[in-house]
Every structure is written in structure tokens, then in C-alpha cells.
Amino acid sequence: MIHIDLTDQPIAIAVALRSVEADGAGAINTFIGTVRNQSTGRAVIRLEYEAYDSMALHQLRKVAEQAVEKWPMLQKVTVVHRKGTLYIGDVAVVVAVSTPHRAESFAACQYIIDTLKQVVTIWKKEFYQDGDVWVAAHP
Amino acid sequence: MRLNIALFGVAREIVGQSSLEIETAAGQSAQGLLAELHARYPALANLSSLAVAVNNEYAADDTPLHERDEIALIPPVSGG
């Protein structure tokens, strides 16, 4: 009921959505994170995602398990994160959840992506025309 | 004891390699290891945060380290 993946291949959104289908679910909620063309006013050319794979997978599973504890009615949870080089519009992360009713599906999906961004060991470097920056590295 | 420390992201770039072997006192804590690394690589102090991971979990400051542990430095994460 929890599916976690970290991949250097393009994320198949339809596959992720199908993976949370459940007969007891009246709601499927999805967050799709994509690469934006600018960051604090600087034009972004590409991103490079680096992961500490074993810890990232472990922490992603823990986040999903915490969501199931908070919302026991969760039917299925899928989180897929991309790594490697991504360009504008590419999909970096997909979170998909299914629940009996819609309210919990929004809440659980938001909890998972918000917590992922705080604890999961993945790092993003933004590349501009005139340089590059590790996102959030410095105050 | 000799610890092998995996490095990622900006920490890897500051140190200039993807892993580091360090000789330290037996029973050294996560916080003690960070202090030693800050002394060797002062630029680490400029980061917004720097955590130690032991066996895929975030370590508390007083977590004791062992030679067999999988240890990593975790600069501010930025997934999603």
C-alpha cells in the first residue's frame, strides 16, 4: 500500500496514478512537482538532483508511514522522486494518495510533500547562465 | 577509531571529495565529529544547517559513532 521510488528516468505520471487506485477510494489526490524557469528572479537553465539513495528511500518510506498513522483511512500512497539532470517543465516528484473522501486526500498529500522537502536526503543544484547554486545551502 | 563519512551536495563540494576517512577518538559523538570537521573545513560553518546521519537516520548530538556505522554528512536538503 506504500510505494516508494527514486529514479534517474522520467517519471511515468499515469503509472503513479494507477498505482494508488483502490476500490475503497472515493478520492485520488496528486502533487506533481515540476522544474520552474526562474528562481528568485534568475533564469534557470537546468537542475541537477543528487540523492543519498539508501537514506532517501528510508526517509521517504517513513514519511509515508507517518501519513498513514495520521490518516489511517489512507488506502494507498505512492511517492516517486527523480534524480539526475532535469530541464524546464520536467517532473521532479510525484506524490499520489487515495482515501475514501476528498478532505483527507488533500491533507495527506500536502503533508507528504511538505515533510519530504524537510527531511528527505535529496539536493538540488540550480544552473543559470552565469553560475550555479545549491538550493537552501546557505542562509 | 577510523570512520568513513559519505558526503553529498554542497558538503561534497566544500570537502572536494565524495567520502572522507577520519581518525577520531573511540566513542566520538555526532556533535564531536561535526566539531572536528568544522575545524578542518571552515566553510562548512557557512551552511544553513549540517546534520550527521547514522545508518540512514538523523543522529542526535550525543549519538555515539562506531566504526561499523554508515555515517554521512547531511547539508540542507532541497528535494521536491
Side-chain angles (χ1 to χ4, degrees):
Chain A
M1 80 154 269
I2 292 176
H3 173 72
I4 302 295
D5 197 14
L6 191 57
T7 177
D8 56 9
Q9 299 298 310
I11 297 174
I13 296 172
V15 173
L17 285 181
R18 267 203 306 280
S19 73
V20 297
E21 287 176 356
D23 289 348
I28 289 177
N29 206 306
T30 312
F31 173 82
I32 300 172
T34 55
V35 177
R36 194 177 48 231
N37 64 359
Q38 61 86 28
S39 176
T40 57
R42 296 179 87 180
V44 172
I45 297 166
R46 70 177 196 277
L47 299 184
E48 284 181 12
Y49 282 92
E50 174 177 336
Y52 176 13
D53 289 31
S54 64
M55 185 167 174
L57 289 167
H58 178 67
Q59 296 292 330
L60 276 172
R61 182 163 293 277
K62 277 178 70 171
V63 172
E65 287 169 354
Q66 287 160 9
V68 172
E69 273 177 40
K70 284 172 169 289
W71 295 279
M73 73 293 291
L74 270 170
Q75 306 279 298
K76 293 184 178 175
V77 177
T78 288
V79 185
V80 185
H81 205 297
R82 181 86 183 270
K83 57 180 185 173
T85 303
L86 278 75
Y87 296 90
I88 310 308
D90 284 350
V91 174
V93 60
V94 173
V95 179
V97 304
S98 52
T99 56
H101 303 288
R102 71 183 180 283
E104 294 82 4
S105 75
F106 282 104
C109 192
Q110 175 151 21
Y111 172 83
I112 291 169
I113 185 63
D114 288 353
T115 311
L116 177 162
K117 290 174 85 80
Q118 292 166 10
V119 304
V120 174
T121 48
I122 297 173
W123 297 272
K124 169 167 53 189
K125 193 177 202 181
E126 291 177 344
F127 289 80
Y128 322 104
Q129 285 292 1
D130 56 347
D132 52 71
V133 167
W134 285 105
V135 175
H138 297 95
Chain B
M1 63 178 176
R2 183 170 290 273
L3 300 179
N4 191 49
I5 301 154
L7 303 168
F8 298 95
V10 68
R12 174 174 53 73
E13 287 192 356
I14 288 171
V15 173
Q17 50 200 58
S18 59
S19 70
L20 191 60
E21 274 208 348
I22 191 165
E23 186 69 36
T24 189
Q28 178 64 283
S29 67
Q31 190 177 37
L33 174 67
L34 277 181
E36 287 189 33
L37 292 172
H38 276 121
R40 282 171 64 163
Y41 304 98
L44 291 175
N46 300 329
L47 300 177
S48 302
S49 66
L50 189 62
V52 174
V54 179
N55 303 326
N56 295 326
E57 296 285 0
Y58 287 97
D61 287 349
D62 60 355
T63 300
L65 307 176
H66 309 94
E67 283 196 340
R68 64 183 181 280
D69 287 335
E70 183 176 319
I71 300 170
L73 275 191
I74 310 296
V77 297
S78 51

